[in-house]
C-alpha cells in the first residue's frame, strides 16, 4: 500500500476546493507502476516509520486535499498542528512532492533531526531526489525496487522524477533481508553522503595527462561512450564524446530516452533543463561531471571515490565556474554542463 496525493476532486491539478472533497485527493491505495525511476530510503528505521505514519494520517484527514497552486498551505497547517496531520482542522492543499517533503521536514522536528528540519518543503519532483539525498536518504535505482513493492520497506519514497512521488506504507513480502540503505553492496544503491578524500590538485587544472586518460576511459566505459581514446582524449572527438557521456547519464538517471549520438539537439537540451548536481549526491550525472571536467583539463578530485560528489569535485566545479564567468556556487546545473560540452 502507498500514500498517494495525485489530483483534485475533478481529476485536475489545480482549481478545486480546499480539502479533500472526494476522499481520493490524498489517499491510501495499492502500489502501482507510475513508472518509478528511483526509490529513496532513509537508513534510520525511526525516520521511515514516522514518515509512513504521517503519510497515513495526511491521507486519512479529508481536510487535506490536492492543488498545485495552493501546495504550500499544507505545510503551514502541519506546522501549526504540532507536525501532526491528524491535528489539522482547517482545509488546506498539497501536491505529491510538497506533501512528502513537508512530512519529511515534520519528521525532523518530531525526532529532533537537524538534517531533516532543513528539507525544503517547497521542492518538487524534479529536485526531490537531491533534497532527500542531501538530508541523508539513499537512492536506489535497481529495478526490483521500482517495478513492484516486494522489496520495499515501510517509509520508502517512490519517485518518478519530474512527474510523481508517493510513500510506501507496508513492508513487502521479500523485504526481510533489506537494510536501511547503508549496505553499499546492494545493487543500485547510491548514498547521499559526500565522498571522502581528495586526490591530486583538486579544483585546479590537472598536470597529469596519463591520469586523465586512465580515469576518463574507466568512467567513460561505464557509459559505453566511444571517443575517449587513450592516444587522443583531447583530440577532435572530445566534444562529441562528452555529449555522449552526458546523454547516457541523463538516460540512466532521468530515463530521458535520448539517442546517445554525441549530437546536442532539442531533446537533449530539454532533458538537461531543471536538473542540478551538487555535493552529497552519487549518481551517473556526477560521474559524467567528473569526465567532462577531465576533458576540459580540470582534476575533479576525490577519485578514490569516483561518482560521489565530494569536497574535491565541488572545488573543481567552483574553479571551472570561476574561470569561465559562471556563478561559482559549486553546483553543476544547466549553464555549467552546457559550457562543459561546448
Amino acid at each position: 500500500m502507498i500514500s498517494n496525493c495525485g489530483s483534485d476532486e475533478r481529476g485536475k491539478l489545480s482549481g478545486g476546493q480546499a480539502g479533500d472533497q472526494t476522499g481520493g485527493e490524498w489517499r491510501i491505495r495499492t502500489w502501482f507502476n507510475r513508472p518509478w525511476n528511483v526509490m529513496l530510503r532513509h537508513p534510520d528505521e525511526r525516520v521511515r516509520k514516522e514518515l509512513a505514519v504521517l503519510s497515513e494520517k495526511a491521507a486519512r484527514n479529508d481536510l487535506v486535499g490536492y492543488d498545485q497552486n495552493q501546495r504550500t498551505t499544507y505545510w503551514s497547517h502541519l506546522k501549526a498542528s504540532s507536525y501532526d496531520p491528524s491535528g489539522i482542522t482547517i482545509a488546506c492543499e498539497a501536491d505529491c512532492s510538497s506533501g512528502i517533503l513537508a512530512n519529511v521536514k515534520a519528521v525532523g522536528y518530531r525526532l529532533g533531526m537537524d538534517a531533516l528540519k532543513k528539507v525544503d518543503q517547497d521542492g518538487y519532483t524534479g529536485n526531490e531526489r537531491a533534497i532527500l539525498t542531501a538530508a541523508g536518504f539513499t537512492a536506489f535505482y535497481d529495478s526490483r525496487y521500482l517495478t513492484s513493492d516486494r522489496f520495499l520497506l515501510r517509509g520508502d519514497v517512490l519517485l518518478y522524477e519530474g512527474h510523481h512521488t508517493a510513500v510506501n506504507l507496508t513492508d513487502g513480502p521479500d523485504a526481510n533481508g533489506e537494510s536501511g540503505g547503508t549496505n553499499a553492496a546492494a545493487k543500485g544503491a547510491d548514498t547521499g553522503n559526500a565522498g571522502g578524500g581528495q586526490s591530486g590538485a583538486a579544483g585546479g587544472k590537472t598536470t597529469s595527462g596519463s591520469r586523465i586518460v586512465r580515469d576518463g576511459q574507466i568512467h567513460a566505459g561505464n557509459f559505453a561512450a566511444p571517443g575517449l581514446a587513450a592516444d587522443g582524449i583531447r583530440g577532435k572527438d572530445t566534444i562529441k564524446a562528452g555529449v555522449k557521456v552526458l546523454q547516457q547519464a541523463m538516460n540512466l538517471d532521468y530515463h530521458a530516452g535520448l539517442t546517445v549520438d554525441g549530437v546536442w539537439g532539442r531533446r537533449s537540451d530539454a532533458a538537461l533543463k531543471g536538473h542540478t548536481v551538487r555535493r552529497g549526491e552519487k549518481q551517473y550525472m556526477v560521474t559524467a561531471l567528473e569526465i567532462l571536467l577531465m576533458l576540459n583539463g580540470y582534476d575533479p578530485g576525490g577519485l578514490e571515490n569516483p561518482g560521489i560528489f565530494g569536497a574535491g569535485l565541488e572545488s573543481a566545479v567552483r574553479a571551472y565556474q570561476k574561470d569561465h564567468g559562471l556563478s561559482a556556487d559549486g553546483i553543476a546545473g544547466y549553464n555549467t554542463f552546457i559550457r562543459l560540452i561546448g
Side-chain angles (χ1 to χ4, degrees):
M1 304 299 289
I2 63 174
S3 175
N4 184 77
C5 186
S7 61
D8 71 11
E9 66 271 19
R10 303 163 303 146
K12 297 184 179 297
L13 301 180
S14 62
Q17 297 181 49
D20 193 338
Q21 314 304 314
T22 64
E25 295 184 46
W26 193 337
R27 62 185 172 126
I28 296 173
R29 59 162 294 173
T30 55
W31 181 94
F32 69 104
N33 190 348
R34 178 60 178 90
W36 312 109
N37 72 289
V38 60
M39 181 272 285
L40 296 136
R41 173 180 293 169
H42 198 280
D44 190 328
E45 183 179 5
R46 297 175 305 153
V47 172
R48 298 196 304 272
K49 179 180 178 180
E50 193 69 15
L51 178 57
V53 168
L54 298 188
S55 300
E56 288 178 356
K57 288 182 175 181
R60 297 186 189 282
N61 186 345
D62 286 343
L63 288 171
V64 182
Y66 182 102
D67 191 316
Q68 287 189 354
N69 289 343
Q70 302 180 61
R71 65 198 296 269
T72 62
T73 59
Y74 171 63
W75 167 249
S76 298
H77 291 291
L78 180 62
K79 183 179 180 181
S81 302
S82 300
Y83 309 107
D84 182 354
S86 64
I88 293 175
T89 59
I90 299 174
C92 60
E93 307 276 50
D95 64 7
C96 60
S97 52
S98 68
I100 288 175
L101 294 171
N103 283 341
V104 171
K105 191 178 186 78
V107 170
Y109 282 97
R110 293 175 70 86
L111 298 182
M113 301 178 70
D114 289 340
L116 300 183
K117 291 179 184 179
K118 296 176 182 177
V119 161
D120 179 7
Q121 73 277 1
D122 295 332
Y124 72 112
T125 52
N127 64 5
E128 181 178 339
R129 173 175 51 85
I131 291 172
L132 292 183
T133 54
F137 282 71
T138 301
F140 290 78
Y141 300 95
D142 192 280
S143 62
R144 67 175 180 166
Y145 300 113
L146 308 176
T147 55
S148 82
D149 60 353
R150 298 189 64 85
F151 295 93
L152 297 180
L153 296 174
R154 176 170 164 82
D156 285 345
V157 177
L158 296 163
L159 176 62
Y160 178 24
E161 290 181 291
H163 298 276
H164 192 51
T165 185
V167 173
N168 183 63
L169 299 179
T170 53
D171 288 338
D174 296 323
N176 287 338
E178 291 292 316
S179 71
T182 57
N183 181 9
K187 182 181 179 182
D190 293 343
T191 64
N193 298 322
Q198 304 173 27
S199 64
K205 290 195 173 184
T206 180
T207 57
S208 174
S210 62
R211 177 182 170 195
I212 289 177
V213 173
R214 184 173 69 251
D215 288 318
Q217 277 193 293
I218 290 171
H219 292 304
N222 293 336
F223 295 96
L228 299 182
D231 58 352
I233 195 167
R234 303 258 334 143
K236 63 180 181 179
D237 292 331
T238 297
I239 293 177
K240 185 174 182 179
V243 170
K244 285 183 177 181
V245 166
L246 187 55
Q247 288 171 327
Q248 184 65 358
M250 291 191 292
N251 283 344
L252 293 168
D253 282 339
Y254 310 142
H255 291 252
L258 302 173
T259 300
V260 183
D261 56 6
V263 178
W264 192 259
R266 286 181 296 178
R267 290 190 62 199
S268 296
D269 200 65
L272 180 61
K273 287 181 177 178
H275 291 291
T276 60
V277 186
R278 65 188 67 205
R279 186 170 177 178
E281 296 185 0
K282 181 176 185 289
Q283 53 174 304
Y284 291 104
M285 286 291 285
V286 174
T287 306
L289 178 60
E290 291 176 318
I291 297 170
L292 291 171
L293 283 167
M294 287 189 286
L295 288 174
N296 282 272
Y298 287 74
D299 183 344
L303 286 175
E304 291 86 351
N305 297 281
I308 300 176
F309 202 132
L313 182 54
E314 182 181 48
S315 178
V317 172
R318 289 182 186 276
Y320 179 85
Q321 290 170 328
K322 182 178 179 181
D323 289 347
H324 292 82
L326 300 168
S327 176
D329 56 7
I331 300 171
Y334 177 83
N335 291 334
T336 299
F337 277 111
I338 288 296
R339 190 62 181 265
L340 281 165
I341 63 174

